Amino acid sequence: MYTCAVVLAFLLASVSIDRIDGAPDGAPLAACATMTPGHGVDPQLITSSPFKTEISSGEYAIMDNTLNLELRSVNDVTTYKGSLVMAIGLVASFLSNGTFKLPRDGKVIDCSGIVGRAATHKFNNEKKLTTVQWTPPKNFMGTAIFRTTYVHNVTTFWVKTESIAVTYVMELPTSSTQAPVATTPSSASQSSKTWISLITFSLMAYLMR
């Protein structure tokens, strides 16, 4: 009887620990649809997220180029234990063939039967920065946004935070500001102004006599 009680207590403790730590080997395939952890609690407001997904190339990228994404802590203090990132577009089918490369400290998920459709963590240790790479569909010309779910702990997580929008183009746009061209009055214009001044001066002198 005593042995049974000890075993039961051990099992309960194991279940509790698993709930606190969350999925130790990354988000499950079932998370693809909603990107929401099955923790039984509501997520935090996106605007309060202490994490962000940065894209080093900025708002534009050359067609077929791989993007480097950084899933990082904004204040470099708060950590996350889990993450799940996916690419979305104005028309989802345009990005259906975009894939994530296998992260060094993570793994990819074949969401909707598409290989490498999402990337997630592999270990639930505390993190401040994770780097992942995404390759667009061949000849893709359009805009992509990356949604990331960050899990701080079992009761604190942020779902579908968004990166900046990245537009794939044939060549990067150049921002050129043309300086205004200084205009010099023509000699005829200057001569005309001179005569008007002389006539005005002469007329005033005549009236003052």
Side-chain angles (χ1 to χ4, degrees), residues 134-147:
W134 183 78
T135 302
K138 188 68 175 175
N139 299 327
F140 171 70
M141 297 281 286
T143 301
I145 296 175
F146 295 87
R147 285 180 175 169

Side-chain angles (χ1 to χ4, degrees), residues 40-115:
V41 294
D42 293 331
Q44 309 297 307
L45 293 175
I46 291 179
T47 52
S48 68
S49 174
F51 312 110
K52 62 179 178 179
T53 302
E54 289 189 338
I55 301 172
S56 57
S57 64
E59 297 179 350
Y60 295 95
I62 298 294
M63 183 180 68
D64 296 336
N65 277 9
T66 295
L67 289 182
N68 293 314
L69 282 65
E70 293 184 346
L71 283 56
R72 63 167 60 248
S73 169
V74 175
N75 56 22
D76 202 32
V77 175
T78 309
T79 59
Y80 59 92
K81 289 189 173 183
S83 62
L84 175 64
V85 57
M86 297 179 66
I88 64 169
L90 296 180
V91 180
S93 60
F94 287 172
L95 298 180
S96 61
N97 294 323
T99 57
F100 284 93
K101 293 186 177 180
L102 182 66
R104 185 183 63 178
D105 52 354
K107 66 179 186 179
V108 295
I109 303 178
D110 302 341
C111 294
S112 302
I114 301 170
V115 177

